[in-house]
Coordinates of all heavy atoms in Angstrom, one line a residue:
M1 N 21.2 17.1 -2.1 CA 21.5 15.8 -1.4 C 22.7 15.2 -2.2 O 22.9 15.2 -3.4 CB 20.3 14.9 -1.6 CG 19.3 15.0 -0.4 SD 18.2 13.7 -0.3 CE 16.8 14.4 -1.1
S2 N 23.4 14.4 -1.4 CA 24.6 13.7 -1.9 C 24.1 12.4 -2.6 O 23.0 11.9 -2.4 CB 25.5 13.4 -0.8 OG 25.0 12.4 0.0
A3 N 24.9 11.9 -3.4 CA 24.6 10.7 -4.2 C 24.4 9.5 -3.3 O 23.6 8.6 -3.5 CB 25.7 10.4 -5.2
T4 N 25.2 9.4 -2.2 CA 25.0 8.4 -1.2 C 23.6 8.5 -0.5 O 23.0 7.4 -0.3 CB 26.1 8.4 -0.1 OG1 27.4 8.5 -0.8 CG2 26.1 7.3 0.8
T5 N 23.2 9.6 -0.1 CA 21.9 9.8 0.5 C 20.8 9.4 -0.4 O 19.9 8.7 0.0 CB 21.7 11.3 1.0 OG1 22.8 11.7 1.8 CG2 20.4 11.4 1.7
I6 N 20.9 9.8 -1.6 CA 19.8 9.4 -2.6 C 19.8 7.9 -2.8 O 18.7 7.3 -3.0 CB 20.1 10.2 -3.9 CG1 19.8 11.7 -3.8 CG2 19.2 9.6 -5.1 CD1 20.1 12.5 -4.9
K7 N 21.0 7.3 -2.9 CA 21.1 5.9 -3.0 C 20.4 5.1 -1.9 O 19.6 4.2 -2.1 CB 22.5 5.4 -3.1 CG 22.7 3.9 -3.2 CD 24.3 3.7 -3.3 CE 24.6 2.5 -2.3 NZ 26.0 2.2 -2.2
W8 N 20.6 5.5 -0.7 CA 20.0 4.9 0.5 C 18.5 5.1 0.6 O 17.8 4.3 1.0 CB 20.7 5.3 1.8 CG 22.0 4.6 1.9 CD1 23.2 5.1 1.8 CD2 22.1 3.2 2.2 NE1 24.1 4.1 2.0 CE2 23.5 2.9 2.3 CE3 21.2 2.1 2.4 CZ2 24.0 1.6 2.5 CZ3 21.7 0.9 2.7 CH2 23.1 0.7 2.7
I9 N 18.0 6.3 0.1 CA 16.6 6.6 0.0 C 16.0 5.7 -1.0 O 14.9 5.1 -0.8 CB 16.4 8.0 -0.3 CG1 16.8 9.0 0.9 CG2 14.9 8.3 -0.6 CD1 16.7 10.4 0.6
R10 N 16.6 5.5 -2.1 CA 16.2 4.6 -3.2 C 16.1 3.2 -2.7 O 15.1 2.5 -2.9 CB 17.0 4.7 -4.4 CG 16.5 4.0 -5.6 CD 17.3 4.3 -6.9 NE 17.5 5.7 -7.1 CZ 16.7 6.4 -7.9 NH1 15.6 5.8 -8.4 NH2 16.9 7.7 -8.2
I11 N 17.1 2.7 -1.9 CA 17.1 1.4 -1.4 C 16.0 1.2 -0.4 O 15.3 0.2 -0.3 CB 18.5 1.0 -0.8 CG1 19.6 0.9 -1.8 CG2 18.4 -0.1 0.1 CD1 20.9 0.9 -1.3
G12 N 15.7 2.3 0.4 CA 14.6 2.2 1.3 C 13.2 2.0 0.6 O 12.4 1.3 1.1
F13 N 13.0 2.7 -0.4 CA 11.8 2.7 -1.1 C 11.7 1.3 -2.0 O 10.6 0.9 -2.2 CB 11.6 3.9 -2.1 CG 11.0 5.1 -1.4 CD1 11.7 6.2 -1.2 CD2 9.7 5.0 -0.9 CE1 11.2 7.3 -0.5 CE2 9.2 6.2 -0.3 CZ 9.9 7.3 0.0
A14 N 12.9 0.9 -2.4 CA 12.8 -0.4 -3.2 C 12.8 -1.6 -2.4 O 12.2 -2.6 -2.8 CB 14.1 -0.4 -4.1
G15 N 13.3 -1.5 -1.1 CA 13.3 -2.7 -0.3 C 12.2 -2.8 0.7 O 11.1 -3.2 0.3
P16 N 12.4 -2.4 1.9 CA 11.3 -2.5 2.9 C 10.2 -1.6 2.6 O 9.0 -1.9 3.0 CB 12.0 -2.1 4.2 CG 13.3 -1.4 3.8 CD 13.7 -2.0 2.5
G17 N 10.4 -0.5 2.0 CA 9.3 0.4 1.7 C 8.3 -0.2 0.7 O 7.1 0.0 0.9
A18 N 8.8 -0.8 -0.3 CA 7.9 -1.5 -1.2 C 7.1 -2.7 -0.6 O 5.9 -2.8 -0.9 CB 8.8 -2.1 -2.4
V19 N 7.7 -3.4 0.3 CA 7.0 -4.5 1.0 C 5.9 -3.9 1.9 O 4.7 -4.4 1.8 CB 8.0 -5.4 1.8 CG1 7.3 -6.3 2.7 CG2 9.0 -6.0 0.9
V20 N 6.2 -2.9 2.7 CA 5.2 -2.3 3.5 C 4.1 -1.7 2.8 O 2.9 -1.9 3.1 CB 5.9 -1.3 4.5 CG1 4.9 -0.5 5.3 CG2 6.9 -2.0 5.5
I21 N 4.4 -0.9 1.8 CA 3.3 -0.3 1.0 C 2.5 -1.3 0.3 O 1.3 -1.2 0.1 CB 4.0 0.7 0.0 CG1 4.6 1.9 0.8 CG2 3.0 1.3 -0.9 CD1 5.5 2.8 0.0
A22 N 3.1 -2.4 -0.3 CA 2.3 -3.5 -0.9 C 1.3 -4.1 0.0 O 0.2 -4.4 -0.3 CB 3.2 -4.5 -1.6
L23 N 1.8 -4.4 1.3 CA 0.9 -5.0 2.3 C -0.2 -4.0 2.7 O -1.4 -4.5 2.8 CB 1.7 -5.5 3.5 CG 2.7 -6.6 3.2 CD1 3.5 -6.9 4.5 CD2 1.9 -7.8 2.8
V24 N 0.1 -2.8 2.9 CA -1.0 -1.9 3.2 C -2.0 -1.7 2.1 O -3.2 -1.6 2.2 CB -0.4 -0.5 3.6 CG1 -1.4 0.6 3.7 CG2 0.4 -0.6 5.0
T25 N -1.4 -1.7 0.8 CA -2.3 -1.7 -0.4 C -3.2 -2.9 -0.4 O -4.4 -2.8 -0.8 CB -1.5 -1.5 -1.6 OG1 -0.6 -0.4 -1.5 CG2 -2.3 -1.4 -2.9
M26 N -2.7 -4.0 -0.1 CA -3.5 -5.3 -0.1 C -4.7 -5.1 0.9 O -5.8 -5.5 0.6 CB -2.6 -6.5 0.3 CG -3.4 -7.7 0.4 SD -2.6 -9.0 1.3 CE -2.3 -8.4 2.9
A27 N -4.3 -4.7 2.1 CA -5.4 -4.5 3.1 C -6.5 -3.4 2.7 O -7.6 -3.6 2.8 CB -4.8 -4.1 4.4
G28 N -6.0 -2.4 2.0 CA -7.0 -1.4 1.6 C -7.7 -1.8 0.3 O -8.8 -1.3 0.1
M29 N -7.1 -2.7 -0.5 CA -7.9 -3.1 -1.7 C -9.1 -3.8 -1.4 O -10.1 -3.8 -2.2 CB -6.9 -4.0 -2.6 CG -6.3 -3.3 -3.7 SD -5.6 -4.6 -4.9 CE -4.0 -4.7 -4.3
A30 N -9.1 -4.5 -0.3 CA -10.4 -5.3 0.1 C -11.5 -4.3 0.3 O -12.6 -4.8 0.3 CB -10.1 -6.2 1.3
L31 N -11.2 -3.1 0.5 CA -12.3 -2.1 0.8 C -12.9 -1.5 -0.4 O -14.1 -1.1 -0.4 CB -11.8 -1.0 1.8 CG -11.3 -1.6 3.1 CD1 -10.7 -0.4 3.9 CD2 -12.4 -2.2 3.9
W32 N -12.1 -1.4 -1.4 CA -12.6 -0.7 -2.7 C -12.9 -1.7 -3.8 O -13.5 -1.3 -4.8 CB -11.8 0.4 -3.2 CG -10.4 0.1 -3.5 CD1 -9.3 0.3 -2.6 CD2 -9.8 -0.4 -4.7 NE1 -8.1 -0.1 -3.3 CE2 -8.4 -0.5 -4.5 CE3 -10.4 -0.7 -5.9 CZ2 -7.6 -0.9 -5.6 CZ3 -9.6 -1.2 -6.9 CH2 -8.2 -1.3 -6.7
L33 N -12.5 -2.9 -3.7 CA -12.8 -4.0 -4.8 C -14.3 -4.4 -4.6 O -14.7 -4.6 -3.4 CB -11.9 -5.1 -4.7 CG -10.5 -4.9 -5.4 CD1 -9.7 -6.1 -5.0 CD2 -10.6 -4.7 -6.8
P34 N -15.0 -4.6 -5.6 CA -16.4 -5.1 -5.5 C -16.4 -6.5 -5.0 O -15.5 -7.3 -5.4 CB -17.0 -4.9 -6.9 CG -15.8 -4.9 -7.8 CD -14.7 -4.4 -7.0
R35 N -17.5 -6.9 -4.3 CA -17.7 -8.2 -3.9 C -18.1 -9.1 -5.0 O -18.9 -8.6 -5.9 CB -18.7 -8.3 -2.8 CG -18.2 -7.7 -1.5 CD -19.2 -7.9 -0.4 NE -18.8 -7.3 0.9 CZ -18.0 -7.7 1.8 NH1 -17.6 -8.9 1.7 NH2 -17.7 -7.0 2.8
G36 N -17.7 -10.3 -5.1 CA -18.2 -11.2 -6.1 C -19.4 -12.0 -5.7 O -20.0 -11.7 -4.7
A37 N -19.8 -12.9 -6.5 CA -21.0 -13.7 -6.2 C -20.9 -14.5 -4.9 O -21.8 -14.6 -4.2 CB -21.2 -14.7 -7.4
A38 N -19.7 -15.0 -4.7 CA -19.4 -15.8 -3.4 C -19.2 -14.8 -2.2 O -19.1 -15.3 -1.1 CB -18.3 -16.7 -3.6
G39 N -18.9 -13.6 -2.5 CA -18.6 -12.6 -1.4 C -17.1 -12.6 -1.0 O -16.8 -12.1 0.1
I40 N -16.3 -13.4 -1.7 CA -14.8 -13.4 -1.2 C -13.9 -12.9 -2.3 O -12.7 -12.9 -2.0 CB -14.4 -14.8 -0.9 CG1 -14.7 -15.8 -2.1 CG2 -15.2 -15.4 0.4 CD1 -14.0 -17.1 -1.8
D41 N -14.4 -12.5 -3.5 CA -13.5 -12.0 -4.5 C -12.7 -10.8 -4.0 O -11.6 -10.6 -4.5 CB -14.3 -11.6 -5.8 CG -14.9 -12.9 -6.4 OD1 -14.4 -14.0 -6.1 OD2 -15.8 -12.8 -7.2
N42 N -13.3 -9.9 -3.2 CA -12.6 -8.8 -2.8 C -11.5 -9.1 -1.7 O -10.7 -8.2 -1.3 CB -13.5 -7.7 -2.2 CG -14.3 -8.1 -1.0 OD1 -14.5 -9.4 -0.8 ND2 -14.6 -7.2 -0.1
L43 N -11.5 -10.3 -1.3 CA -10.4 -10.8 -0.4 C -9.3 -11.6 -1.1 O -8.2 -11.4 -0.8 CB -11.0 -11.7 0.8 CG -12.0 -11.0 1.6 CD1 -12.7 -12.0 2.6 CD2 -11.5 -9.8 2.4
V44 N -9.7 -12.4 -2.1 CA -8.8 -13.2 -2.8 C -7.9 -12.4 -3.8 O -6.7 -12.6 -3.9 CB -9.5 -14.4 -3.5 CG1 -8.5 -15.1 -4.3 CG2 -10.2 -15.2 -2.5
L45 N -8.5 -11.5 -4.5 CA -7.9 -10.7 -5.5 C -6.7 -9.9 -4.9 O -5.6 -9.9 -5.6 CB -8.8 -9.9 -6.3 CG -8.4 -9.3 -7.6 CD1 -7.9 -10.4 -8.5 CD2 -9.5 -8.5 -8.2
P46 N -6.9 -9.2 -3.8 CA -5.7 -8.5 -3.3 C -4.5 -9.4 -2.9 O -3.4 -9.0 -3.1 CB -6.3 -7.8 -2.0 CG -7.7 -7.6 -2.3 CD -8.1 -8.8 -3.1
L47 N -4.9 -10.6 -2.4 CA -3.8 -11.6 -2.0 C -3.0 -12.0 -3.3 O -1.7 -12.1 -3.3 CB -4.4 -12.7 -1.4 CG -4.8 -12.6 0.1 CD1 -5.6 -13.8 0.6 CD2 -3.6 -12.3 0.9
M48 N -3.7 -12.1 -4.4 CA -3.0 -12.5 -5.6 C -2.3 -11.3 -6.3 O -1.3 -11.6 -7.0 CB -4.1 -13.1 -6.6 CG -4.7 -14.4 -6.2 SD -6.1 -14.9 -7.1 CE -5.4 -14.9 -8.8
L49 N -2.7 -10.1 -6.0 CA -2.1 -8.9 -6.6 C -0.9 -8.3 -5.8 O -0.2 -7.4 -6.3 CB -3.1 -7.8 -6.9 CG -4.2 -8.2 -8.0 CD1 -5.2 -7.0 -8.0 CD2 -3.5 -8.4 -9.3
V50 N -0.7 -8.8 -4.6 CA 0.4 -8.3 -3.8 C 1.7 -8.4 -4.5 O 2.5 -7.4 -4.6 CB 0.5 -9.0 -2.4 CG1 1.7 -8.7 -1.7 CG2 -0.7 -8.5 -1.5
P51 N 2.1 -9.5 -5.1 CA 3.4 -9.6 -5.8 C 3.5 -8.5 -7.0 O 4.5 -8.0 -7.2 CB 3.5 -11.1 -6.3 CG 2.6 -11.8 -5.5 CD 1.5 -10.8 -5.1
L52 N 2.4 -8.3 -7.6 CA 2.4 -7.4 -8.8 C 2.6 -6.0 -8.2 O 3.4 -5.2 -8.8 CB 1.1 -7.5 -9.5 CG 0.9 -6.5 -10.7 CD1 1.9 -6.9 -11.8 CD2 -0.5 -6.6 -11.3
V53 N 1.9 -5.6 -7.2 CA 2.1 -4.3 -6.6 C 3.4 -4.1 -6.0 O 4.1 -3.1 -6.3 CB 1.0 -4.1 -5.4 CG1 1.3 -2.8 -4.7 CG2 -0.5 -4.1 -6.0
W54 N 4.0 -5.1 -5.3 CA 5.4 -5.1 -4.9 C 6.3 -4.9 -6.0 O 7.3 -4.1 -5.9 CB 5.7 -6.4 -4.1 CG 7.1 -6.5 -3.7 CD1 7.8 -5.8 -2.7 CD2 8.1 -7.2 -4.4 NE1 9.1 -6.1 -2.7 CE2 9.3 -7.1 -3.7 CE3 8.0 -8.1 -5.5 CZ2 10.5 -7.6 -4.1 CZ3 9.2 -8.7 -5.9 CH2 10.4 -8.5 -5.2
A55 N 6.2 -5.7 -7.1 CA 7.1 -5.6 -8.2 C 7.1 -4.2 -8.9 O 8.1 -3.6 -9.3 CB 6.9 -6.7 -9.2
A56 N 5.8 -3.7 -9.0 CA 5.7 -2.3 -9.6 C 6.4 -1.3 -8.8 O 7.1 -0.4 -9.3 CB 4.2 -2.0 -9.7
L57 N 6.2 -1.3 -7.4 CA 6.9 -0.3 -6.6 C 8.4 -0.5 -6.6 O 9.2 0.4 -6.6 CB 6.3 -0.5 -5.2 CG 5.0 0.0 -5.0 CD1 4.4 -0.5 -3.6 CD2 4.8 1.5 -5.0
L58 N 8.9 -1.8 -6.6 CA 10.3 -2.1 -6.6 C 10.9 -1.5 -7.9 O 12.0 -0.8 -7.9 CB 10.5 -3.6 -6.5 CG 12.0 -4.0 -6.7 CD1 12.7 -3.9 -5.4 CD2 12.0 -5.4 -7.2
F59 N 10.3 -1.9 -9.1 CA 10.9 -1.5 -10.3 C 10.8 0.1 -10.5 O 11.7 0.7 -11.1 CB 10.3 -2.2 -11.5 CG 10.7 -3.6 -11.6 CD1 9.8 -4.7 -11.7 CD2 12.1 -3.9 -11.8 CE1 10.2 -5.9 -11.8 CE2 12.5 -5.2 -11.8 CZ 11.6 -6.2 -11.8
H60 N 9.7 0.6 -10.1 CA 9.7 2.1 -10.1 C 10.7 2.8 -9.3 O 11.4 3.8 -9.7 CB 8.3 2.6 -9.7 CG 8.0 4.0 -9.8 ND1 7.8 4.8 -8.8 CD2 8.1 4.9 -10.9 CE1 7.7 6.1 -9.1 NE2 7.8 6.1 -10.5
A61 N 10.9 2.2 -8.1 CA 12.0 2.8 -7.3 C 13.4 2.6 -7.9 O 14.3 3.5 -7.7 CB 11.9 2.2 -5.9
C62 N 13.6 1.5 -8.6 CA 14.9 1.3 -9.1 C 15.2 2.0 -10.4 O 16.3 2.4 -10.8 CB 15.1 -0.2 -9.3 SG 15.2 -1.2 -7.8
L63 N 14.1 2.2 -11.3 CA 14.3 2.6 -12.7 C 14.0 4.1 -12.8 O 14.4 4.7 -13.9 CB 13.5 1.8 -13.6 CG 13.8 0.3 -13.6 CD1 12.8 -0.5 -14.5 CD2 15.3 0.1 -14.1
D64 N 13.2 4.7 -12.0 CA 12.9 6.1 -12.2 C 14.1 7.0 -11.8 O 14.8 6.8 -10.8 CB 11.7 6.5 -11.4 CG 11.1 7.8 -11.8 OD1 11.8 8.6 -12.6 OD2 9.9 8.1 -11.4
R65 N 14.5 7.9 -12.7 CA 15.6 8.8 -12.4 C 15.4 9.8 -11.3 O 16.4 10.3 -10.6 CB 16.0 9.6 -13.7 CG 16.5 8.6 -14.7 CD 16.9 9.4 -15.9 NE 17.4 8.4 -16.9 CZ 18.0 8.8 -18.0 NH1 18.3 10.1 -18.2 NH2 18.3 7.9 -18.9
R66 N 14.1 10.2 -11.1 CA 13.8 11.2 -10.1 C 13.3 10.6 -8.8 O 12.3 10.0 -8.8 CB 12.8 12.2 -10.6 CG 13.3 12.9 -11.9 CD 12.4 13.9 -12.4 NE 12.0 14.9 -11.5 CZ 11.1 15.7 -11.7 NH1 10.3 15.7 -12.7 NH2 10.9 16.7 -10.8
I67 N 14.1 10.8 -7.7 CA 13.7 10.2 -6.4 C 12.5 10.8 -5.8 O 11.8 10.2 -5.1 CB 14.9 10.1 -5.5 CG1 14.7 9.3 -4.3 CG2 15.2 11.6 -5.0 CD1 14.6 7.8 -4.6
G68 N 12.3 12.1 -6.2 CA 11.2 12.8 -5.6 C 9.9 12.2 -6.2 O 8.8 12.0 -5.4
R69 N 9.8 11.8 -7.5 CA 8.6 11.2 -8.1 C 8.4 9.8 -7.4 O 7.3 9.4 -7.2 CB 8.8 11.1 -9.6 CG 7.5 10.6 -10.3 CD 7.6 10.8 -11.8 NE 9.0 10.5 -12.4 CZ 9.4 11.2 -13.3 NH1 8.7 12.2 -13.9 NH2 10.7 11.0 -13.8
V70 N 9.5 9.0 -7.2 CA 9.4 7.7 -6.6 C 8.7 7.9 -5.1 O 7.8 7.1 -4.8 CB 10.8 7.1 -6.4 CG1 10.7 5.8 -5.5 CG2 11.3 6.8 -7.7
A71 N 9.2 8.9 -4.4 CA 8.6 9.1 -3.0 C 7.2 9.6 -3.1 O 6.4 9.1 -2.4 CB 9.5 10.1 -2.3
L72 N 6.9 10.5 -4.1 CA 5.5 11.0 -4.2 C 4.5 9.8 -4.5 O 3.5 9.7 -3.9 CB 5.4 12.0 -5.3 CG 4.1 12.6 -5.6 CD1 3.7 13.5 -4.4 CD2 4.1 13.4 -6.8
V73 N 4.8 9.0 -5.5 CA 4.0 7.9 -5.9 C 3.9 6.9 -4.8 O 2.7 6.5 -4.4 CB 4.5 7.2 -7.2 CG1 3.7 5.9 -7.5 CG2 4.4 8.2 -8.3
A74 N 5.0 6.5 -4.1 CA 4.9 5.5 -3.1 C 4.1 6.0 -1.9 O 3.2 5.3 -1.3 CB 6.3 5.0 -2.7
L75 N 4.4 7.2 -1.5 CA 3.6 7.7 -0.3 C 2.2 8.0 -0.6 O 1.4 7.9 0.3 CB 4.4 8.9 0.2 CG 5.8 8.7 0.7 CD1 6.5 10.0 1.2 CD2 5.7 7.7 2.0
L76 N 1.9 8.4 -1.8 CA 0.5 8.7 -2.2 C -0.3 7.4 -2.1 O -1.4 7.4 -1.6 CB 0.4 9.3 -3.5 CG -1.0 9.7 -4.0 CD1 -1.5 10.8 -3.2 CD2 -1.0 10.2 -5.4
V77 N 0.3 6.3 -2.7 CA -0.5 5.0 -2.6 C -0.6 4.5 -1.2 O -1.6 4.1 -0.8 CB 0.4 4.0 -3.4 CG1 -0.2 2.5 -3.2 CG2 0.3 4.3 -4.9
F78 N 0.4 4.8 -0.4 CA 0.4 4.3 1.0 C -0.7 5.1 1.8 O -1.5 4.6 2.5 CB 1.8 4.5 1.7 CG 1.8 4.2 3.2 CD1 1.9 2.9 3.6 CD2 1.8 5.3 4.1 CE1 1.9 2.6 4.9 CE2 1.7 4.9 5.4 CZ 1.8 3.6 5.9
M79 N -0.7 6.5 1.6 CA -1.6 7.3 2.4 C -3.0 7.0 2.0 O -3.9 7.0 2.8 CB -1.3 8.8 2.2 CG 0.0 9.2 2.9 SD 0.4 10.9 2.9 CE 0.2 11.4 1.3
V80 N -3.4 6.8 0.7 CA -4.7 6.5 0.3 C -5.2 5.3 0.9 O -6.3 5.3 1.4 CB -4.8 6.5 -1.2 CG1 -6.1 5.9 -1.8 CG2 -4.6 7.9 -1.8
H81 N -4.4 4.2 0.8 CA -4.9 3.0 1.3 C -4.9 3.0 2.9 O -5.8 2.3 3.6 CB -4.1 1.8 0.8 CG -4.4 1.5 -0.6 ND1 -3.8 2.1 -1.7 CD2 -5.4 0.7 -1.1 CE1 -4.3 1.7 -2.8 NE2 -5.3 0.9 -2.5
A82 N -4.0 3.6 3.5 CA -4.0 3.7 5.0 C -5.2 4.5 5.4 O -5.8 4.2 6.5 CB -2.7 4.5 5.5
A83 N -5.6 5.6 4.7 CA -6.8 6.3 5.0 C -8.1 5.5 4.9 O -9.0 5.6 5.7 CB -6.9 7.6 4.2
L84 N -8.1 4.6 3.9 CA -9.2 3.7 3.7 C -9.3 2.8 4.9 O -10.5 2.5 5.4 CB -9.1 2.9 2.4 CG -9.5 3.6 1.1 CD1 -9.0 2.8 0.0 CD2 -10.9 3.9 1.1
I85 N -8.3 2.2 5.3 CA -8.2 1.3 6.5 C -8.6 2.0 7.7 O -9.4 1.5 8.5 CB -6.8 0.7 6.6 CG1 -6.5 -0.2 5.4 CG2 -6.7 -0.2 7.9 CD1 -5.1 -0.6 5.3
A86 N -8.0 3.2 8.0 CA -8.4 4.0 9.1 C -9.9 4.4 9.2 O -10.6 4.3 10.2 CB -7.5 5.2 9.3
G87 N -10.4 4.8 8.0 CA -11.8 5.1 7.9 C -12.7 3.9 8.2 O -13.8 4.1 8.8
Q88 N -12.3 2.7 7.9 CA -13.1 1.6 8.1 C -13.1 1.3 9.6 O -14.1 0.9 10.2 CB -12.5 0.3 7.4 CG -13.2 -0.9 7.6 CD -14.6 -1.0 6.9 OE1 -14.9 -0.2 6.0 NE2 -15.5 -1.9 7.3
F89 N -12.0 1.5 10.3 CA -12.0 1.3 11.7 C -12.7 2.4 12.5 O -13.3 2.1 13.5 CB -10.5 1.2 12.2 CG -9.8 -0.1 12.0 CD1 -8.7 -0.3 11.2 CD2 -10.3 -1.3 12.5 CE1 -8.1 -1.5 11.0 CE2 -9.7 -2.5 12.4 CZ -8.6 -2.6 11.6
L90 N -12.7 3.5 12.0 CA -13.3 4.7 12.7 C -14.8 4.8 12.3 O -15.5 5.6 13.0 CB -12.6 6.0 12.3 CG -11.1 6.1 12.8 CD1 -10.5 7.4 12.3 CD2 -11.1 6.0 14.3
D91 N -15.2 4.0 11.4 CA -16.6 4.1 10.9 C -17.6 3.5 11.9 O -18.7 3.9 12.0 CB -16.8 3.6 9.5 CG -18.1 3.9 8.9 OD1 -18.6 5.0 9.2 OD2 -18.5 3.1 8.0
H92 N -17.2 2.5 12.6 CA -18.1 1.7 13.5 C -18.1 2.2 14.9 O -17.0 2.4 15.5 CB -17.7 0.2 13.5 CG -17.7 -0.4 12.1 ND1 -18.8 -0.6 11.4 CD2 -16.7 -0.8 11.3 CE1 -18.6 -1.1 10.2 NE2 -17.3 -1.3 10.2
P93 N -19.3 2.5 15.4 CA -19.3 3.0 16.8 C -19.0 1.8 17.8 O -19.2 0.7 17.6 CB -20.8 3.4 17.0 CG -21.5 2.6 16.1 CD -20.6 2.4 14.9
V94 N -18.3 2.3 18.9 CA -17.9 1.3 19.9 C -19.2 1.0 20.8 O -19.8 2.0 21.3 CB -16.8 1.9 20.8 CG1 -16.4 1.0 21.9 CG2 -15.6 2.2 19.9
P95 N -19.5 -0.3 21.0 CA -20.7 -0.5 21.9 C -20.4 -0.1 23.4 O -19.2 0.0 23.8 CB -20.8 -2.0 21.8 CG -19.5 -2.5 21.3 CD -18.9 -1.4 20.5
A96 N -21.4 0.2 24.0 CA -21.3 0.6 25.4 C -20.8 -0.6 26.2 O -21.0 -1.7 25.9 CB -22.7 1.1 26.0
A97 N -20.2 -0.3 27.4 CA -19.6 -1.3 28.3 C -20.6 -2.3 28.8 O -20.4 -3.5 28.8 CB -18.9 -0.7 29.4
G98 N -21.8 -2.0 29.1 CA -22.8 -2.8 29.7 C -23.7 -3.5 28.7 O -24.5 -4.3 29.1
S99 N -23.7 -3.1 27.5 CA -24.6 -3.6 26.5 C -24.0 -4.9 25.9 O -22.8 -5.1 25.7 CB -24.9 -2.7 25.4 OG -23.7 -2.4 24.6
R100 N -24.9 -5.8 25.4 CA -24.5 -7.0 24.8 C -25.1 -7.0 23.3 O -26.2 -6.6 23.1 CB -25.1 -8.3 25.5 CG -24.3 -8.5 26.8 CD -24.8 -9.8 27.4 NE -23.9 -10.2 28.5 CZ -23.9 -11.3 29.0 NH1 -24.8 -12.2 28.6 NH2 -23.2 -11.5 30.1
P101 N -24.3 -7.5 22.4 CA -24.8 -7.5 21.0 C -25.8 -8.6 20.8 O -26.0 -9.6 21.4 CB -23.6 -7.8 20.2 CG -22.5 -8.3 21.2 CD -22.9 -7.9 22.5

C-alpha cells in the first residue's frame, strides 16, 4: 500500500471510525456490565466511559506504527459489541399478531 492510502485509512480509524466504535461499545457495555443497587449503574457507566473509549481508539490509531494492528483491535472491539447488541435483539421472541401482552 502507498503511504497516502495508509494515511487515509489511519484518518478513518482515528476520526469517524473511533466515534462509531465508541458509540457501539457504549451500547454493548450496558449488556455486560453488572447492575448496581439502583439498577441503573450499567446504563450510567457506559455513558461516562464513552470519552475514554473514544480517546483510547483515537490515540491507538494515531500512535501505533502498524495499521494492521489498529484495524484488528478496532474491528474486534466493534464486532464483539455489535454481536452482543444483535444477540440481545434476536434473543426475544416476537409476539403473535393477534395476541396482547
